[in-house]
Amino acid sequence: MITVIGSANMDVIAQADKFPLQGETVRGKDFQTAPGGKGANQAVACARLGQKVQLIGTTGTDSFGEMIVANLRDQQVDTSYITQADGSSGVAVILLTEGDNRIISIPGANHALTPERIGELKSVIGASQLVMMQLELPIDTVWSVLELCNELEVPVVMDPAPSSSFQLEYMPYLHYLTPNETECAQLFGTSIEETVTNYPNKLLVTLGKDGVCYHDQEKIIYVPGVPAQVVDTTGAGDTFNGALASQLVQGSNLQSAIHFANVAASLSVGKFGAQGGMPTAQEVVKKVEQLAYRVE
Ligand code: RIB
């Protein structure tokens, strides 16, 4: 069982031909709501790929909360450990133009997940093969998860987004950290090559269409990106993380797992919404076979 500890949001999405400049109003093309949140997205990505997965998180007492939980159930994510907190659910306001997005994430109930709640779920977390985290939770809750997983020897994969909540002190507690190029520069302040060399087999830097860069303890490896038809990149990173975890729990080696995750992310951007394009295992395997990438 994979356990995702993280956010569940309702994404409210406005589509337009261009982003407004400061003080400008632009005419939009479409408006939609869709389930999102980095934690929920990662959990759905795992479930689509056939993994048993549960989400530990908190939704609000509003109608979005009910919709978020109903969607997770529909997607075969175990919601037994999602609790309700008074007030509104997490919401992300997403501005979407062709192939690009800007997001404001309002934590709402996601910030009601406390270290005490994590302590109550010690046996649930301890029975997990892998824990996945992002940073849309309070920092003391993040710390409580890291310390508990360290004590219980449960590996943790962290996506350091939003990067403003990342602390370098997390590093010894992590099995994998998966920043994108921008986050990597913000967090470490050194070149990608130097940074991955400092954290071999731990720091996996996602480079969008250019793939992933990491250090395998001997040399830097670039796992190439996969060409994609881009409709909406929202949730591509979450798909990458979910797919990576799904391969790691099946015992895949790191390079193959990264390639599989790259392929999954490339497929996910072909449809609208963070979760809309997340592929099944069969879809990813078909594309992996077509590409015939050779692991070193
Ligand atoms: O990673 C994409 C997600 O970030 C969106 O679904 C949005 O909810 C924000 O949390």
Short mmCIF file of all heavy atoms in Angstrom, two decimals, residues 7-12 34-39 41 90-94 101 103-106 110 136 159 161-162 233-238 273-275, ligand 1:
data_model
loop_
_atom_site.label_atom_id
_atom_site.label_comp_id
_atom_site.label_asym_id
_atom_site.label_seq_id
_atom_site.Cartn_x
_atom_site.Cartn_y
_atom_site.Cartn_z
N SER A 7 -2.40 17.29 0.34
CA SER A 7 -3.54 18.18 0.09
C SER A 7 -4.56 17.58 -0.87
O SER A 7 -4.22 16.76 -1.73
CB SER A 7 -3.02 19.48 -0.54
OG SER A 7 -2.34 19.16 -1.75
N ALA A 8 -5.79 18.02 -0.69
CA ALA A 8 -6.85 17.73 -1.65
C ALA A 8 -7.58 19.05 -1.88
O ALA A 8 -8.05 19.68 -0.93
CB ALA A 8 -7.79 16.67 -1.10
N ASN A 9 -7.63 19.47 -3.12
CA ASN A 9 -8.23 20.77 -3.45
C ASN A 9 -9.35 20.62 -4.45
O ASN A 9 -9.47 19.59 -5.12
CB ASN A 9 -7.19 21.68 -4.13
CG ASN A 9 -6.06 22.11 -3.21
OD1 ASN A 9 -6.19 22.05 -2.00
ND2 ASN A 9 -4.97 22.54 -3.80
N MET A 10 -10.12 21.70 -4.59
CA MET A 10 -10.93 21.86 -5.78
C MET A 10 -10.22 22.92 -6.62
O MET A 10 -9.90 23.99 -6.11
CB MET A 10 -12.36 22.29 -5.43
CG MET A 10 -13.27 22.33 -6.63
SD MET A 10 -13.40 20.76 -7.52
CE MET A 10 -14.39 19.78 -6.42
N ASP A 11 -9.94 22.57 -7.86
CA ASP A 11 -9.31 23.54 -8.76
C ASP A 11 -10.39 24.33 -9.49
O ASP A 11 -11.31 23.74 -10.06
CB ASP A 11 -8.42 22.81 -9.79
CG ASP A 11 -7.19 22.17 -9.15
OD1 ASP A 11 -6.93 22.44 -7.95
OD2 ASP A 11 -6.50 21.40 -9.85
N VAL A 12 -10.32 25.64 -9.44
CA VAL A 12 -11.24 26.47 -10.21
C VAL A 12 -10.41 27.12 -11.32
O VAL A 12 -9.43 27.82 -11.05
CB VAL A 12 -11.99 27.50 -9.33
CG1 VAL A 12 -12.86 26.80 -8.32
CG2 VAL A 12 -11.07 28.44 -8.61
N ALA A 34 -12.46 21.31 -11.25
CA ALA A 34 -11.99 19.92 -11.38
C ALA A 34 -11.23 19.58 -10.10
O ALA A 34 -10.54 20.44 -9.54
CB ALA A 34 -11.08 19.78 -12.59
N PRO A 35 -11.33 18.33 -9.65
CA PRO A 35 -10.60 17.96 -8.44
C PRO A 35 -9.09 18.06 -8.64
O PRO A 35 -8.59 17.74 -9.71
CB PRO A 35 -10.99 16.49 -8.21
CG PRO A 35 -12.16 16.25 -9.10
CD PRO A 35 -12.07 17.23 -10.22
N GLY A 36 -8.40 18.53 -7.61
CA GLY A 36 -6.94 18.66 -7.69
C GLY A 36 -6.32 18.62 -6.31
O GLY A 36 -6.87 17.98 -5.40
N GLY A 37 -5.23 19.32 -6.16
CA GLY A 37 -4.44 19.25 -4.92
C GLY A 37 -3.33 18.25 -5.15
O GLY A 37 -3.58 17.15 -5.64
N LYS A 38 -2.11 18.63 -4.78
CA LYS A 38 -0.97 17.78 -5.12
C LYS A 38 -1.07 16.39 -4.50
O LYS A 38 -0.72 15.38 -5.11
CB LYS A 38 0.34 18.46 -4.73
CG LYS A 38 0.58 19.73 -5.55
CD LYS A 38 1.86 20.42 -5.19
CE LYS A 38 1.89 21.83 -5.77
NZ LYS A 38 1.73 21.89 -7.23
N GLY A 39 -1.57 16.32 -3.26
CA GLY A 39 -1.70 15.01 -2.61
C GLY A 39 -2.73 14.15 -3.31
O GLY A 39 -2.46 12.98 -3.67
N ASN A 41 -3.90 14.45 -6.29
CA ASN A 41 -3.45 14.13 -7.65
C ASN A 41 -2.46 12.95 -7.65
O ASN A 41 -2.55 12.05 -8.48
CB ASN A 41 -2.76 15.34 -8.29
CG ASN A 41 -3.72 16.49 -8.55
OD1 ASN A 41 -4.94 16.32 -8.52
ND2 ASN A 41 -3.18 17.67 -8.81
N GLY A 90 -9.53 23.08 0.61
CA GLY A 90 -8.48 23.71 -0.17
C GLY A 90 -8.99 24.04 -1.57
O GLY A 90 -9.75 23.26 -2.15
N VAL A 91 -8.57 25.19 -2.06
CA VAL A 91 -8.98 25.61 -3.40
C VAL A 91 -7.73 26.11 -4.13
O VAL A 91 -6.89 26.79 -3.53
CB VAL A 91 -10.02 26.75 -3.32
CG1 VAL A 91 -10.23 27.40 -4.69
CG2 VAL A 91 -11.34 26.23 -2.78
N ALA A 92 -7.62 25.76 -5.40
CA ALA A 92 -6.55 26.34 -6.22
C ALA A 92 -7.18 27.10 -7.37
O ALA A 92 -8.01 26.55 -8.10
CB ALA A 92 -5.62 25.25 -6.75
N VAL A 93 -6.81 28.35 -7.49
CA VAL A 93 -7.29 29.19 -8.60
C VAL A 93 -6.24 29.07 -9.70
O VAL A 93 -5.06 29.41 -9.50
CB VAL A 93 -7.45 30.65 -8.15
CG1 VAL A 93 -7.88 31.52 -9.32
CG2 VAL A 93 -8.45 30.73 -7.01
N ILE A 94 -6.67 28.53 -10.84
CA ILE A 94 -5.71 28.25 -11.91
C ILE A 94 -6.05 29.08 -13.15
O ILE A 94 -7.18 29.05 -13.63
CB ILE A 94 -5.72 26.74 -12.27
CG1 ILE A 94 -5.38 25.91 -11.03
CG2 ILE A 94 -4.76 26.45 -13.43
CD1 ILE A 94 -5.28 24.42 -11.26
N ASN A 101 0.36 27.49 -17.22
CA ASN A 101 -0.60 27.79 -16.15
C ASN A 101 0.04 28.62 -15.05
O ASN A 101 1.26 28.67 -14.93
CB ASN A 101 -1.21 26.50 -15.58
CG ASN A 101 -0.19 25.62 -14.89
OD1 ASN A 101 0.70 26.09 -14.21
ND2 ASN A 101 -0.30 24.31 -15.07
N ILE A 103 -0.86 29.29 -10.79
CA ILE A 103 -1.73 28.75 -9.75
C ILE A 103 -1.59 29.52 -8.45
O ILE A 103 -0.47 29.78 -8.00
CB ILE A 103 -1.39 27.25 -9.48
CG1 ILE A 103 -1.49 26.43 -10.78
CG2 ILE A 103 -2.29 26.67 -8.40
CD1 ILE A 103 -1.16 24.95 -10.62
N ILE A 104 -2.73 29.86 -7.86
CA ILE A 104 -2.74 30.35 -6.47
C ILE A 104 -3.46 29.28 -5.66
O ILE A 104 -4.61 28.95 -5.94
CB ILE A 104 -3.49 31.68 -6.32
CG1 ILE A 104 -2.83 32.76 -7.16
CG2 ILE A 104 -3.54 32.09 -4.85
CD1 ILE A 104 -3.58 34.08 -7.16
N SER A 105 -2.76 28.70 -4.68
CA SER A 105 -3.34 27.61 -3.89
C SER A 105 -3.69 28.14 -2.49
O SER A 105 -2.83 28.70 -1.81
CB SER A 105 -2.33 26.48 -3.83
OG SER A 105 -2.74 25.51 -2.95
N ILE A 106 -4.96 27.99 -2.11
CA ILE A 106 -5.41 28.46 -0.79
C ILE A 106 -5.62 27.23 0.08
O ILE A 106 -6.49 26.40 -0.22
CB ILE A 106 -6.72 29.27 -0.93
CG1 ILE A 106 -6.47 30.49 -1.84
CG2 ILE A 106 -7.24 29.74 0.43
CD1 ILE A 106 -7.26 30.48 -3.11
N ASN A 110 -6.74 21.89 4.32
CA ASN A 110 -5.48 21.13 4.27
C ASN A 110 -4.57 21.49 5.46
O ASN A 110 -3.79 20.66 5.91
CB ASN A 110 -4.73 21.43 2.97
CG ASN A 110 -5.45 20.89 1.75
OD1 ASN A 110 -5.79 19.71 1.71
ND2 ASN A 110 -5.72 21.75 0.78
N GLU A 136 1.98 21.17 0.68
CA GLU A 136 0.77 21.99 0.86
C GLU A 136 0.16 21.73 2.24
O GLU A 136 -1.03 21.89 2.43
CB GLU A 136 -0.23 21.73 -0.27
CG GLU A 136 0.28 22.25 -1.61
CD GLU A 136 -0.69 22.07 -2.77
OE1 GLU A 136 -1.33 21.01 -2.86
OE2 GLU A 136 -0.79 22.99 -3.59
N ASP A 159 7.84 15.68 -3.06
CA ASP A 159 7.82 16.68 -4.13
C ASP A 159 7.85 18.05 -3.42
O ASP A 159 6.88 18.39 -2.74
CB ASP A 159 6.53 16.52 -4.94
CG ASP A 159 6.40 17.56 -6.03
OD1 ASP A 159 7.35 18.31 -6.26
OD2 ASP A 159 5.32 17.64 -6.64
N ALA A 161 6.97 21.07 -3.41
CA ALA A 161 6.12 22.12 -3.98
C ALA A 161 4.93 22.36 -3.05
O ALA A 161 4.29 21.39 -2.63
CB ALA A 161 5.62 21.70 -5.37
N PRO A 162 4.63 23.62 -2.71
CA PRO A 162 5.38 24.82 -3.09
C PRO A 162 6.73 24.90 -2.37
O PRO A 162 6.83 24.58 -1.19
CB PRO A 162 4.44 25.96 -2.65
CG PRO A 162 3.50 25.38 -1.67
CD PRO A 162 3.43 23.91 -1.91
N THR A 233 -0.71 21.30 -18.69
CA THR A 233 0.39 20.68 -17.93
C THR A 233 0.09 20.57 -16.43
O THR A 233 0.89 20.02 -15.67
CB THR A 233 1.69 21.50 -18.08
OG1 THR A 233 1.45 22.83 -17.63
CG2 THR A 233 2.17 21.53 -19.51
N THR A 234 -1.08 21.07 -15.99
CA THR A 234 -1.40 21.00 -14.55
C THR A 234 -1.39 19.54 -14.12
O THR A 234 -2.05 18.70 -14.74
CB THR A 234 -2.80 21.59 -14.28
OG1 THR A 234 -2.93 22.82 -14.95
CG2 THR A 234 -3.03 21.77 -12.79
N GLY A 235 -0.67 19.24 -13.06
CA GLY A 235 -0.67 17.87 -12.52
C GLY A 235 0.36 16.95 -13.16
O GLY A 235 0.48 15.78 -12.77
N ALA A 236 1.15 17.46 -14.12
CA ALA A 236 2.15 16.59 -14.76
C ALA A 236 3.18 16.11 -13.73
O ALA A 236 3.58 14.94 -13.72
CB ALA A 236 2.84 17.32 -15.91
N GLY A 237 3.59 17.03 -12.85
CA GLY A 237 4.54 16.65 -11.80
C GLY A 237 3.95 15.63 -10.84
O GLY A 237 4.64 14.72 -10.38
N ASP A 238 2.67 15.78 -10.55
CA ASP A 238 2.01 14.82 -9.64
C ASP A 238 1.93 13.44 -10.30
O ASP A 238 2.10 12.41 -9.64
CB ASP A 238 0.61 15.32 -9.28
CG ASP A 238 0.65 16.72 -8.68
OD1 ASP A 238 1.61 17.02 -7.96
OD2 ASP A 238 -0.27 17.51 -8.95
N GLY A 273 -7.22 19.30 -17.15
CA GLY A 273 -7.37 19.04 -15.71
C GLY A 273 -6.19 18.28 -15.16
O GLY A 273 -5.52 17.53 -15.87
N ALA A 274 -5.94 18.50 -13.85
CA ALA A 274 -4.79 17.85 -13.22
C ALA A 274 -4.90 16.33 -13.30
O ALA A 274 -3.92 15.63 -13.52
CB ALA A 274 -4.69 18.30 -11.77
N GLN A 275 -6.11 15.81 -13.12
CA GLN A 275 -6.28 14.35 -13.08
C GLN A 275 -6.83 13.80 -14.40
O GLN A 275 -6.82 12.59 -14.62
CB GLN A 275 -7.22 13.98 -11.93
CG GLN A 275 -6.67 14.38 -10.56
CD GLN A 275 -7.66 14.20 -9.43
OE1 GLN A 275 -8.71 13.59 -9.58
NE2 GLN A 275 -7.33 14.75 -8.27
O1 RIB B 1 0.16 20.20 -9.00
C1 RIB B 1 -1.05 20.71 -9.45
C2 RIB B 1 -1.93 21.07 -8.31
O2 RIB B 1 -1.38 22.14 -7.60
C3 RIB B 1 -3.33 21.54 -8.71
O3 RIB B 1 -4.24 20.49 -8.86
C4 RIB B 1 -3.68 22.52 -7.60
O4 RIB B 1 -4.70 22.07 -6.76
C5 RIB B 1 -2.38 22.79 -6.84
O5 RIB B 1 -2.38 22.21 -5.61
#
